[in-house]
Amino acid sequence: QALLVESGGGLVQPGGSLRLSCVASEIPDYHNIGWFHRTPEKVREAVACLSAVDGTTYYADAVKGRFTISRDAVKNTVYLQMNSLKPEDTGIYYCAADVEGGPAFTSLVHEYDRWGQGTQVTVSS
């Protein structure tokens, strides 16, 4: 049974927008939640992270000013609004939660211990 379920990926032209959603219905509590991008080199990089404790956010330099992470605590859903998309944004986007760690904010990939299956984003004309 999936703990994190992503949706919202797809094919979009450069300059377009997408909104990714991640439902964490099976995870009642977590400290941090984030979106991670798997590059063509198969490396997972943090794109945007959010502390559920104090609202601290992190954005990778490549997406600052273009992407926004937000959370609806009632729906237990996290969103990634992606604007001004570029071809280099193409890849699989994973939602992940930091459940086992402490309350401190982190954007380190290895600190996140619950992962979704990912959703494909393709930016191409």
Side-chain angles (χ1 to χ4, degrees), residues 37-45 87-94 120:
H37 173 218
R38 191 174 77 173
T39 68
E41 294 78 24
K42 310 298 184 186
V43 175
R44 290 190 187 186
E45 301 176 334
E88 52 264 42
D89 296 321
T90 294
I92 300 176
Y93 284 75
Y94 297 89
Q120 176 71 42

Side-chain angles (χ1 to χ4, degrees), residues 6-123:
E6 303 101 330
S7 62
L11 172 64
V12 63
Q13 292 187 341
S17 297
L18 285 173
R19 188 176 82 155
L20 306 184
S21 299
C22 171
V23 179
S25 57
E26 300 301 322
I27 302 178
D29 193 21
Y30 51 79
H31 301 111
N32 302 287
I33 195 160
W35 289 94
F36 299 80
H37 173 218
R38 191 174 77 173
T39 68
E41 294 78 24
K42 310 298 184 186
V43 175
R44 290 190 187 186
E45 301 176 334
V47 172
C49 301
L50 172 68
S51 167
V53 176
D54 62 11
T56 300
T57 57
Y58 161 86
Y59 292 97
D61 287 343
V63 307
K64 284 180 181 177
R66 300 190 297 123
F67 291 9
T68 303
I69 188 171
S70 61
R71 174 174 173 249
D72 184 330
V74 174
K75 296 180 179 180
N76 209 1
T77 300
V78 176
Y79 304 97
L80 183 68
Q81 179 65 44
M82 311 167 75
N83 297 329
S84 302
L85 281 161
K86 303 176 181 180
E88 52 264 42
D89 296 321
T90 294
I92 300 176
Y93 284 75
Y94 297 89
C95 176
D98 166 24
V99 176
E100 304 294 338
F105 178 70
T106 181
S107 61
L108 299 176
V109 175
H110 69 269
E111 298 280 358
Y112 286 74
D113 44 62
R114 302 289 190 275
W115 290 81
Q117 295 301 305
T119 185
Q120 176 71 42
V121 171
T122 303
V123 184

